[in-house]
Amino acid sequence: MQKHFSNRIQMTEEIMKKTLLALFGTLLFFITAASPMHAEAMLSSQPEPAWEAQAPYLLPADTYVRKVKNKLYVMDGYGVVSIMNDSTGDKIATVDPHTSTFKRAYAGFFGGNQVGNNGNLYLTTQYQDTKNHKLVRKLQAYDSAGKPLWTREFSRPLPVTFAEKVSDISGLNIAGDGTLLFYMSLEKYKFNVFRIDQQGKQIHKKEIKEYVYSYHNDLMTTLLNESGNKSDFSNYKATLTVYDAKLNVQFRQQIAGQKFVGILPDKTLLFYKFNKATTDVIARNSKGTVLWTKSLPGKVFIDNFEQNDSSFHSNVLITSVKNMLYVFNSKGLAAQKTLSLIHKKDNLAFTVNADGNILVVDEKTALPQNTQGQIIILNKDLSTLHKITLSSGSYLETANFYPGQGSWYRWFEDLNNPDLETTVIRKFILNP
């Protein structure tokens, strides 16, 4: 009897242990599901700013702002750069590339301006030397404190014909090893490309009898003998050439009826074919063999390769059709997602930062902006990292910048206190 009673006590204790474990597991599940680890469920209000500062007026922020290490580089519409301490918002230096001769500067961190991974700032200006009939471009390098490092000048004959005028192009790309590739057009299908080391020394100069088109993943692409309508690319033809960062030809391909989009690190080429109601995304290898084709409903609006950041490195193509996002790698469609938006738009606009995270701004564009909006930050697998509700307010303009690393920046003009000379920038720290 005593033994039987003892066994019942032991069984009761085991049942209680299992019940407690089950309850603990259930509680742990709900705690975990509500935690930031499950980013899809994350919905938060706008946090308090880490700091607030005055900054040049700018739109859009992704074109005029770069962050490298603990420095924020903010350019105004005239090509003047403010270097700011990212921890405090304090201004470290102002870099103005204009001189009494070189009065015209490029605006935005694309084309002739870049920030290197080492924090060096590279800015381009130009002037017309009518006496010697030359167009002269000056590339100036500065360190992260705004101190001048070196200067190089490049020249070409002043354009005479209309064709020469419309093809007056120059640009700057930065290779993965820090080498600079500066190019300038001589004619529509003739460019000089210069390889320059970080000390400003010219390593190599090459004349390319093609049109310099893009630079991604340390691969430069050019086009030659373009013909046909570029509105739908139905009868478009061209020769595409791919160069490595040392300006060696890798391969050439013929394009027909398609738009070239970009190239992945493994040299997979990506194209769009526009149909009446769909867009085909097509991948080909370096020999021209079609690897795969994926048809999307509707017309592609924008993608990460079209955002004109020459130093961008990515192993995926991210593109949007209406409120859908698609991610492609060299093997095909890797992810897709329909975004639920507060403000309905014909097309979804987004920006991609260097580590592949995606920023979507769901905000009213018409003025005044007096309704709620939201910021959605996605990983490149389209899982949600952050979803932030924006407080409603009367804003003249807003701009957002998300470089990753848990920081989000927002510029705005208040309709009640408009000041078109400067704008307020606020830095927000996002929960991991």
Side-chain angles (χ1 to χ4, degrees):
M1 182 81 173
Q2 187 176 0
K3 183 177 181 182
H4 180 68
F5 184 74
S6 177
N7 287 338
R8 288 187 63 183
I9 293 175
Q10 187 175 359
M11 288 175 62
T12 303
E13 289 176 347
E14 290 295 322
I15 291 172
M16 289 179 65
K17 286 180 181 178
K18 290 179 180 180
T19 303
L20 287 171
L21 285 172
L23 287 171
F24 178 76
T26 303
L27 181 62
L28 182 63
F29 171 80
F30 282 109
I31 292 172
T32 306
S35 73
M37 294 289 288
H38 284 63
E40 291 290 350
M42 183 186 297
L43 181 62
S44 60
S45 59
Q46 184 171 308
E48 290 296 319
W51 51 256
E52 180 178 300
Q54 294 291 320
Y57 178 76
L58 76 162
L59 264 175
D62 60 289
T63 304
Y64 288 86
V65 186
R66 289 291 180 268
K67 179 184 176 182
V68 176
K69 299 178 180 177
N70 196 40
K71 303 289 174 61
L72 206 62
Y73 301 77
V74 184
M75 180 180 289
D76 66 15
Y78 303 99
V80 179
V81 179
S82 298
I83 303 177
M84 304 174 68
N85 185 320
D86 183 61
S87 298
T88 63
D90 296 331
K91 184 183 291 187
I92 297 172
T94 298
V95 178
D96 187 349
H98 301 85
T99 64
S100 58
T101 303
F102 290 86
K103 297 180 179 179
R104 179 182 170 189
Y106 290 72
F109 287 115
F110 58 88
N113 304 319
Q114 294 286 354
V115 181
N117 290 333
N118 57 1
N120 285 354
L121 176 66
Y122 305 100
L123 302 177
T124 301
T125 51
Q126 73 174 49
Y127 86 102
Q128 292 188 359
D129 183 356
T130 54
K131 181 179 179 181
N132 297 303
H133 197 69
K134 292 192 303 181
L135 178 67
V136 185
R137 289 188 172 89
K138 180 167 68 171
L139 176 64
Q140 301 173 82
Y142 306 83
D143 66 15
S144 60
K147 177 184 176 182
L149 297 175
W150 50 262
T151 299
R152 290 195 63 88
E153 292 188 6
F154 311 89
S155 64
R156 58 158 288 183
L158 279 172
V160 178
T161 67
F162 177 75
E164 288 178 320
K165 290 179 181 178
V166 297
S167 62
D168 181 20
I169 297 169
S170 69
L172 177 68
N173 300 309
I174 304 179
D177 63 359
T179 302
L180 308 179
L181 294 180
F182 185 86
Y183 60 88
M184 63 185 302
S185 62
L186 304 176
E187 300 171 9
K188 184 176 182 181
Y189 289 116
K190 185 185 290 186
F191 280 72
N192 273 338
V193 184
F194 305 86
R195 291 184 64 222
I196 306 165
D197 66 18
Q198 295 185 36
Q199 287 71 46
K201 180 181 178 182
Q202 181 175 306
I203 305 171
H204 183 47
K205 174 185 175 182
K206 186 168 187 173
E207 183 180 288
I208 294 178
K209 296 183 178 180
E210 297 140 16
Y211 178 87
V212 175
Y213 181 72
S214 69
Y215 188 88
H216 288 104
N217 296 307
D218 278 355
L219 296 168
M220 184 177 77
T221 63
T222 64
L223 296 170
L224 180 64
N225 298 330
E226 292 179 284
S227 64
N229 190 347
K230 290 186 180 181
S231 61
D232 61 5
F233 288 84
S234 57
N235 61 344
Y236 177 79
K237 292 182 180 180
T239 300
L240 174 73
T241 304
V242 177
Y243 294 82
D244 64 16
K246 295 183 178 180
L247 303 180
N248 299 312
V249 175
Q250 299 298 289
F251 56 90
R252 288 188 171 92
Q253 283 190 20
Q254 300 301 312
I255 303 175
Q258 299 173 10
K259 176 186 177 182
F260 172 65
V261 181
I263 185 167
L264 299 179
D266 64 357
K267 299 180 182 178
T268 298
L269 301 167
L270 298 166
F271 301 84
Y272 293 145
K273 181 181 179 182
F274 299 111
N275 308 308
K276 288 185 177 180
T278 61
T279 301
D280 292 339
V281 181
I282 303 168
R284 300 206 302 246
N285 64 17
S286 60
K287 296 181 180 180
T289 303
V290 175
L291 302 174
W292 50 262
T293 300
K294 173 66 177 178
S295 183
L296 305 181
K299 187 172 182 178
V300 165
F301 175 62
I302 193 173
D303 60 62
N304 55 322
F305 287 110
E306 285 194 38
Q307 293 182 9
N308 214 6
D309 183 350
S310 300
S311 61
F312 187 75
H313 289 67
S314 178
N315 57 1
V316 294
L317 165 71
I318 305 171
T319 188
S320 68
V321 178
K322 295 185 178 179
N323 65 332
M324 289 284 294
L325 276 174
Y326 300 89
V327 178
F328 296 91
N329 57 27
S330 57
K331 295 181 180 180
L333 181 63
Q336 69 180 62
K337 186 170 189 173
T338 304
L339 293 184
S340 177
L341 303 178
I342 299 173
H343 301 283
K344 303 300 181 184
K345 299 176 183 177
D346 293 336
N347 289 296
L348 176 69
F350 65 91
T351 57
V352 180
N353 68 353
D355 61 12
N357 290 339
I358 305 162
L359 172 71
V360 178
V361 180
D362 178 17
E363 191 172 22
K364 184 180 177 182
T365 54
L367 300 177
Q369 295 174 327
N370 54 3
T371 58
Q372 278 194 333
Q374 62 179 341
I375 294 291
I376 305 171
I377 299 174
L378 307 166
N379 204 329
K380 62 183 176 182
D381 65 2
L382 299 186
S383 60
T384 303
L385 296 174
H386 300 280
K387 189 181 288 186
I388 304 162
T389 301
L390 299 176
S391 57
S392 59
S394 299
Y395 300 127
L396 181 64
E397 295 284 7
T398 58
N400 298 275
F401 178 60
Y402 177 69
Q405 304 167 4
S407 300
W408 162 49
Y409 305 81
R410 183 167 168 83
W411 284 256
F412 66 90
E413 289 277 357
D414 193 335
L415 261 182
N416 299 317
N417 299 288
D419 178 7
L420 296 181
E421 295 299 321
T422 59
T423 186
V424 174
I425 171 178
R426 289 175 178 170
K427 177 184 177 179
F428 301 93
I429 304 298
L430 303 177
N431 294 326

